């Protein structure tokens, strides 16, 4: 040891030629002496991660000579590793790093590339069922050999984070290693656009609720045009949301109106829906659309062009609440041209 061999060391006249190896406590007790001994060029500690960490302040007082540490443990936590990574040349033998997903991700984010390289050089396992954010899920994806060790790994985050494809969060929470994905809300409610809802529904094992099984209210609110663009996804997953809302006054075709009814959509307060289409489409579809209790009743029915219709069809159109032919003309097939208003005479 350094203390036992001090007499021999004192005979050395070449500076920086002696390597001193010891436990954390041994070297910490000699920190001032080692720092001031010119012939000592390197100091290396070999000890458990906990012992090294508890003596790290004294070891750092040795200065640049303290340039390596070897962890003698077989299993350590990610937190310990993260705190030790400030030591240059951190080494370990057959080491297992065992911690929760959140702690593993925190260690990666705190220590950057050196920490990731150290973790990937050893066995990394989950120590318990783990709940992570989208950002933490992305960090865990950078591990080349993470073993869940029989535990579950679930993500819980806001809609904007879960669908973030720019930062890679969407791909991370969609990875096969993630067992479930839950929606984090403020006060148990969240309102999202149609595009956001579609992105959420693309995530395997997505749930609008919380990891503790408590429920959230998820509402999709958007323009009719955007809802229509996402119709297939919304219709497939409509039972996964609490409501779908047409957010603004708009004019749609009869086919789009039919899709809004299929979705069970309602209109936002103060918003109205106008259906503008051919007389044939309106006559063919409106009876069924207005039967029962439709989720949306159009404020206005309007024609998209002039048409020739039967007297019965003309009467049906006139009976629609808010019907207006606008600038177009209806021609009665049996009696010649006449406006709808003419039937009142």
């Amino acid at each position: 040891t350094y203390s036992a061999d001090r007499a021999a060391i004192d005979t050395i006249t070449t500076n920086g030629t002696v390597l001193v190896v010891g436990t954390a406590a041994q070297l910490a007790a000699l920190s001032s002496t080692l720092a001031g001994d010119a012939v000592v060029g390197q100091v290396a500690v070999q000890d458990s991660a906990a012992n090294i960490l508890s003596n790290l302040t004294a070891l750092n007082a040795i200065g640049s000579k303290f340039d390596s540490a070897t962890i003698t443990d077989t299993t350590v936590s990610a937190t310990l590793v993260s705190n030790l990574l400030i030591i240059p040349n951190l080494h370990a033998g057959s080491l297992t790093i065992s911690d929760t997903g959140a702690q593993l991700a925190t260690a990666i984010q705190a220590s950057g590339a050196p920490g990731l390289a150290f973790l990937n050089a050893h066995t990394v396992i989950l120590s318990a069922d783990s709940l992570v954010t989208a950002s933490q899920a992305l960090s865990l994806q950078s591990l080349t050999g993470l073993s869940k060790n029989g535990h579950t790994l679930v993500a819980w985050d806001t809609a904007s984070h879960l669908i973030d494809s720019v930062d890679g969060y969407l791909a991370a929470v969609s990875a096969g290693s993630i067992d479930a994905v839950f929606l984090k809300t403020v006060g148990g409610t969240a309102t999202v656009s149609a595009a956001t809802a579609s992105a959420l529904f693309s995530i395997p094992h997505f749930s609008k609720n919380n990891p503790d099984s408590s429920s959230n209210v998820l509402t999709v609110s958007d323009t009719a045009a955007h809802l229509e663009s996402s119709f297939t996804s919304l219709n497939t997953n409509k039972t996964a949301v609490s409501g779908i809302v047409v957010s603004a006054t708009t004019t749609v075709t009869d086919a789009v109106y039919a899709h809004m009814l299929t979705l069970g959509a309602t209109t936002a307060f103060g918003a109205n829906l106008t259906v503008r289409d051919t007389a044939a489409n309106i006559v063919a579809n409106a009876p069924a659309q207005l039967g029962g209790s439709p989720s949306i009743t159009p404020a206005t029915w309007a024609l998209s062009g002039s048409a020739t219709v039967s007297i019965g069809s003309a009467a049906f159109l006139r009976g629609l609440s808010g019907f207006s032919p606008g600038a177009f003309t209806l021609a009665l097939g049996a009696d010649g041209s006449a406006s709808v208003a003419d039937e009142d005479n």
Side-chain angles (χ1 to χ4, degrees):
T1 65
Y2 177 79
S3 297
D5 297 331
R6 187 63 184 273
I9 293 173
D10 286 342
T11 65
I12 300 173
T13 58
T14 304
N15 290 344
T17 57
V18 175
L19 166 64
V20 179
V21 179
T23 66
Q26 289 169 341
L27 297 176
L30 297 168
S31 61
S32 297
T33 303
L34 293 170
D37 193 336
V39 300
V40 175
Q42 291 178 281
V43 176
V45 62
Q46 295 179 349
D47 212 329
S48 68
N51 286 344
I52 295 172
L53 188 59
S54 64
N55 289 282
L56 193 55
T57 300
L59 292 171
N60 283 332
I62 298 171
S64 60
K65 296 177 183 180
F66 173 46
D67 67 351
S68 72
T70 299
I71 299 173
T72 58
D73 305 86
T74 57
T75 302
V76 296
S77 70
T79 303
L80 284 177
V81 169
S82 180
N83 290 330
L84 290 174
L85 282 168
I86 61 172
I87 303 171
N89 302 314
L90 181 65
H91 304 286
S94 180
L95 181 66
T96 296
I97 300 159
S98 177
D99 218 321
T100 65
Q103 290 298 333
L104 288 168
T106 298
I108 294 169
Q109 294 171 356
S111 53
L116 179 60
F118 186 86
L119 290 169
N120 280 334
H122 300 283
T123 301
V124 182
I125 65 174
L126 291 182
S127 61
D129 292 344
S130 298
L131 182 67
V132 297
T133 65
S135 172
Q136 290 170 337
L138 180 62
S139 294
L140 293 178
Q141 290 303 308
S142 63
L143 292 171
T144 56
L146 173 65
S147 168
K148 292 195 291 185
N149 194 33
H151 297 294
T152 58
L153 179 62
V154 303
W156 184 36
D157 214 325
T158 62
S160 61
H161 285 167
L162 292 175
I163 69 162
D164 184 348
S165 58
V166 174
D167 294 310
Y169 296 168
L170 177 59
V173 299
S174 299
S177 58
I178 303 296
D179 297 298
V181 178
F182 297 97
L183 181 63
K184 191 172 188 177
T185 65
V186 176
T189 64
T191 300
V192 300
S193 68
T196 294
S198 293
L200 290 173
F201 297 147
S202 74
I203 300 171
H205 314 300
F206 170 75
S207 169
K208 69 178 178 64
N209 297 321
N210 298 306
D212 64 1
S213 298
S214 60
S215 298
N216 289 319
V217 175
L218 176 62
T219 301
V220 181
S221 179
D222 213 327
T223 64
H226 289 163
L227 292 173
E228 175 66 13
S229 295
S230 299
F231 172 74
T232 300
S233 175
L234 293 174
N235 189 43
T236 301
N237 298 280
K238 62 185 178 183
T239 57
V241 301
S242 307
I244 298 175
V245 178
V246 179
S247 61
T249 294
T250 189
T251 298
V252 299
T253 65
D254 187 78
V256 172
Y257 174 51
H259 281 172
M260 297 303 103
L261 295 179
T262 298
L263 293 175
T266 58
T267 51
F269 179 77
N272 293 311
L273 191 76
T274 293
V275 176
R276 178 179 287 127
D277 213 317
T278 65
N281 284 342
I282 294 175
V283 170
N285 298 316
Q289 291 168 341
L290 296 175
S293 301
S295 59
I296 298 176
T297 298
T300 303
W301 294 85
L303 294 181
S304 61
S306 298
T308 299
V309 298
S310 68
I311 293 176
S313 293
F316 173 77
L317 290 170
R318 188 184 64 173
L320 288 173
S321 177
F323 175 74
S324 170
F328 301 106
T329 301
L330 286 175
L332 296 177
D335 301 325
S337 297
S339 68
V340 173
D342 288 335
E343 293 191 20
D344 292 329
N345 300 321

